CSV table of all heavy atoms in Angstrom, one decimal:
chain,number,residue,atom,x,y,z
A,681,GLU,N,-12.2,-6.4,7.8
A,681,GLU,CA,-12.1,-5.6,6.6
A,681,GLU,C,-10.7,-5.7,6.0
A,681,GLU,O,-10.5,-5.1,4.9
A,681,GLU,CB,-12.5,-4.2,6.9
A,681,GLU,CG,-11.6,-3.5,7.9
A,681,GLU,CD,-12.2,-3.6,9.3
A,681,GLU,OE1,-12.9,-4.5,9.6
A,681,GLU,OE2,-11.9,-2.6,10.1
A,682,ASP,N,-9.8,-6.4,6.7
A,682,ASP,CA,-8.4,-6.4,6.2
A,682,ASP,C,-8.2,-7.6,5.2
A,682,ASP,O,-7.1,-7.7,4.5
A,682,ASP,CB,-7.4,-6.6,7.3
A,682,ASP,CG,-7.5,-5.4,8.3
A,682,ASP,OD1,-7.9,-4.3,7.9
A,682,ASP,OD2,-7.1,-5.6,9.5
A,683,PHE,N,-9.1,-8.5,5.1
A,683,PHE,CA,-9.0,-9.6,4.2
A,683,PHE,C,-9.2,-9.1,2.8
A,683,PHE,O,-10.3,-8.7,2.4
A,683,PHE,CB,-9.9,-10.8,4.6
A,683,PHE,CG,-9.5,-11.4,5.9
A,683,PHE,CD1,-10.1,-10.9,7.1
A,683,PHE,CD2,-8.5,-12.3,6.0
A,683,PHE,CE1,-9.7,-11.5,8.3
A,683,PHE,CE2,-8.1,-12.8,7.2
A,683,PHE,CZ,-8.7,-12.4,8.4
A,684,ALA,N,-8.1,-9.2,2.0
A,684,ALA,CA,-8.1,-8.6,0.7
A,684,ALA,C,-6.8,-9.1,0.0
A,684,ALA,O,-6.1,-9.9,0.5
A,684,ALA,CB,-8.0,-7.1,0.8
A,685,VAL,N,-6.5,-8.5,-1.2
A,685,VAL,CA,-5.3,-8.8,-1.9
A,685,VAL,C,-4.4,-7.5,-1.7
A,685,VAL,O,-4.8,-6.4,-1.8
A,685,VAL,CB,-5.5,-9.0,-3.4
A,685,VAL,CG1,-4.2,-9.3,-4.1
A,685,VAL,CG2,-6.5,-10.2,-3.6
A,686,TYR,N,-3.1,-7.8,-1.4
A,686,TYR,CA,-2.1,-6.8,-1.2
A,686,TYR,C,-1.0,-6.8,-2.2
A,686,TYR,O,-0.5,-7.9,-2.6
A,686,TYR,CB,-1.5,-7.0,0.2
A,686,TYR,CG,-2.5,-6.7,1.3
A,686,TYR,CD1,-3.4,-7.7,1.7
A,686,TYR,CD2,-2.6,-5.4,1.9
A,686,TYR,CE1,-4.4,-7.4,2.7
A,686,TYR,CE2,-3.6,-5.2,2.9
A,686,TYR,CZ,-4.4,-6.2,3.3
A,686,TYR,OH,-5.4,-5.9,4.2
A,687,TYR,N,-0.7,-5.7,-2.7
A,687,TYR,CA,0.4,-5.5,-3.7
A,687,TYR,C,1.5,-4.6,-3.2
A,687,TYR,O,1.2,-3.6,-2.6
A,687,TYR,CB,-0.2,-4.9,-5.0
A,687,TYR,CG,-1.2,-5.8,-5.7
A,687,TYR,CD1,-2.6,-5.6,-5.4
A,687,TYR,CD2,-0.9,-6.7,-6.6
A,687,TYR,CE1,-3.6,-6.4,-6.1
A,687,TYR,CE2,-1.8,-7.5,-7.3
A,687,TYR,CZ,-3.2,-7.3,-7.0
A,687,TYR,OH,-4.1,-8.1,-7.6
A,688,CYS,N,2.7,-5.0,-3.5
A,688,CYS,CA,3.8,-4.1,-3.4
A,688,CYS,C,4.1,-3.5,-4.8
A,688,CYS,O,3.8,-4.1,-5.8
A,688,CYS,CB,5.0,-4.7,-2.8
A,688,CYS,SG,5.8,-6.0,-3.7
A,689,GLN,N,4.7,-2.3,-4.7
A,689,GLN,CA,5.1,-1.6,-6.0
A,689,GLN,C,6.4,-0.8,-5.7
A,689,GLN,O,6.4,-0.1,-4.8
A,689,GLN,CB,4.0,-0.7,-6.4
A,689,GLN,CG,4.3,0.1,-7.7
A,689,GLN,CD,3.5,1.4,-7.9
A,689,GLN,OE1,3.2,2.0,-6.9
A,689,GLN,NE2,3.2,1.7,-9.1
A,690,GLU,N,7.3,-1.0,-6.6
A,690,GLU,CA,8.5,-0.2,-6.5
A,690,GLU,C,8.3,1.0,-7.4
A,690,GLU,O,7.7,1.0,-8.5
A,690,GLU,CB,9.8,-1.0,-7.0
A,690,GLU,CG,9.8,-1.5,-8.4
A,690,GLU,CD,10.3,-0.5,-9.4
A,690,GLU,OE1,10.8,0.6,-9.0
A,690,GLU,OE2,10.0,-0.7,-10.6
A,691,TYR,N,8.9,2.2,-7.0
A,691,TYR,CA,8.9,3.3,-7.8
A,691,TYR,C,10.3,3.9,-8.0
A,691,TYR,O,10.5,5.0,-8.3
A,691,TYR,CB,7.9,4.4,-7.3
A,691,TYR,CG,8.0,4.8,-5.9
A,691,TYR,CD1,8.9,5.8,-5.4
A,691,TYR,CD2,7.2,4.1,-4.9
A,691,TYR,CE1,9.0,6.1,-4.1
A,691,TYR,CE2,7.3,4.5,-3.6
A,691,TYR,CZ,8.2,5.4,-3.2
A,691,TYR,OH,8.3,5.8,-1.8
A,692,TYR,N,11.3,3.0,-7.7
A,692,TYR,CA,12.7,3.4,-7.9
A,692,TYR,C,13.0,3.4,-9.4
A,692,TYR,O,13.8,4.3,-9.9
A,692,TYR,CB,13.5,2.3,-7.3
A,692,TYR,CG,15.0,2.6,-7.4
A,692,TYR,CD1,15.6,3.5,-6.5
A,692,TYR,CD2,15.8,2.0,-8.3
A,692,TYR,CE1,17.0,3.7,-6.5
A,692,TYR,CE2,17.2,2.2,-8.4
A,692,TYR,CZ,17.8,3.1,-7.5
A,692,TYR,OH,19.1,3.3,-7.6
A,693,ASN,N,12.3,2.6,-10.2
A,693,ASN,CA,12.5,2.5,-11.6
A,693,ASN,C,11.3,2.7,-12.4
A,693,ASN,O,10.9,3.9,-12.7
A,693,ASN,CB,13.2,1.2,-12.0
A,693,ASN,CG,13.6,1.1,-13.4
A,693,ASN,OD1,13.7,2.1,-14.1
A,693,ASN,ND2,13.9,-0.1,-13.9
A,694,ARG,N,10.5,1.7,-12.7
A,694,ARG,CA,9.4,1.8,-13.6
A,694,ARG,C,8.1,1.4,-12.9
A,694,ARG,O,7.1,1.1,-13.6
A,694,ARG,CB,9.6,0.9,-14.8
A,694,ARG,CG,10.5,1.5,-15.9
A,694,ARG,CD,10.0,2.8,-16.4
A,694,ARG,NE,10.9,3.4,-17.5
A,694,ARG,CZ,10.7,3.1,-18.8
A,694,ARG,NH1,9.7,2.3,-19.2
A,694,ARG,NH2,11.4,3.7,-19.7
A,695,GLN,N,8.0,1.5,-11.6
A,695,GLN,CA,6.8,1.4,-10.8
A,695,GLN,C,6.2,0.0,-11.0
A,695,GLN,O,5.0,-0.2,-11.2
A,695,GLN,CB,5.8,2.4,-11.2
A,695,GLN,CG,6.3,3.8,-10.9
A,695,GLN,CD,5.1,4.9,-10.9
A,695,GLN,OE1,4.1,4.7,-10.3
A,695,GLN,NE2,5.3,6.0,-11.7
A,696,THR,N,7.0,-1.0,-11.0
A,696,THR,CA,6.5,-2.4,-11.2
A,696,THR,C,5.8,-2.9,-9.9
A,696,THR,O,6.2,-2.7,-8.8
A,696,THR,CB,7.7,-3.4,-11.5
A,696,THR,OG1,8.5,-2.8,-12.5
A,696,THR,CG2,7.2,-4.7,-11.9
A,697,PHE,N,4.7,-3.6,-10.2
A,697,PHE,CA,3.9,-4.2,-9.1
A,697,PHE,C,4.4,-5.7,-8.9
A,697,PHE,O,4.8,-6.3,-9.8
A,697,PHE,CB,2.4,-4.2,-9.4
A,697,PHE,CG,1.7,-2.9,-9.3
A,697,PHE,CD1,1.5,-2.1,-10.4
A,697,PHE,CD2,1.3,-2.5,-8.1
A,697,PHE,CE1,0.9,-0.9,-10.3
A,697,PHE,CE2,0.6,-1.2,-8.0
A,697,PHE,CZ,0.4,-0.5,-9.1
A,698,GLY,N,4.3,-6.1,-7.6
A,698,GLY,CA,4.4,-7.5,-7.4
A,698,GLY,C,3.1,-8.2,-7.8
A,698,GLY,O,2.1,-7.6,-8.2
A,699,GLN,N,3.1,-9.6,-7.8
A,699,GLN,CA,1.9,-10.3,-8.3
A,699,GLN,C,0.8,-10.4,-7.3
A,699,GLN,O,-0.3,-10.8,-7.7
A,699,GLN,CB,2.4,-11.8,-8.7
A,699,GLN,CG,2.4,-12.7,-7.5
A,699,GLN,CD,3.6,-12.7,-6.7
A,699,GLN,OE1,4.4,-11.7,-6.8
A,699,GLN,NE2,3.8,-13.7,-5.8
A,700,GLY,N,1.0,-9.9,-6.1
A,700,GLY,CA,-0.1,-9.9,-5.1
A,700,GLY,C,0.0,-11.0,-4.1
A,700,GLY,O,0.4,-12.1,-4.5
A,701,THR,N,-0.5,-10.8,-2.9
A,701,THR,CA,-0.7,-11.8,-1.9
A,701,THR,C,-2.2,-11.7,-1.5
A,701,THR,O,-2.6,-10.6,-1.1
A,701,THR,CB,0.2,-11.6,-0.7
A,701,THR,OG1,1.5,-11.9,-1.0
A,701,THR,CG2,-0.2,-12.5,0.5
A,702,LYS,N,-2.9,-12.8,-1.6
A,702,LYS,CA,-4.3,-12.8,-1.1
A,702,LYS,C,-4.3,-13.2,0.4
A,702,LYS,O,-3.8,-14.3,0.7
A,702,LYS,CB,-5.1,-13.8,-1.9
A,702,LYS,CG,-6.5,-13.9,-1.5
A,702,LYS,CD,-7.3,-14.9,-2.3
A,702,LYS,CE,-8.8,-14.9,-1.9
A,702,LYS,NZ,-9.6,-15.9,-2.7
Side-chain angles (χ1 to χ4, degrees):
Chain A
E681 62 266 29
D682 299 335
F683 293 95
V685 180
Y686 292 83
Y687 296 93
C688 62
Q689 182 204 31
E690 63 83 15
Y691 50 88
Y692 182 82
N693 187 14
R694 285 295 185 93
Q695 302 195 49
T696 311
F697 286 96
Q699 84 279 12
T701 291
K702 181 179 181 180

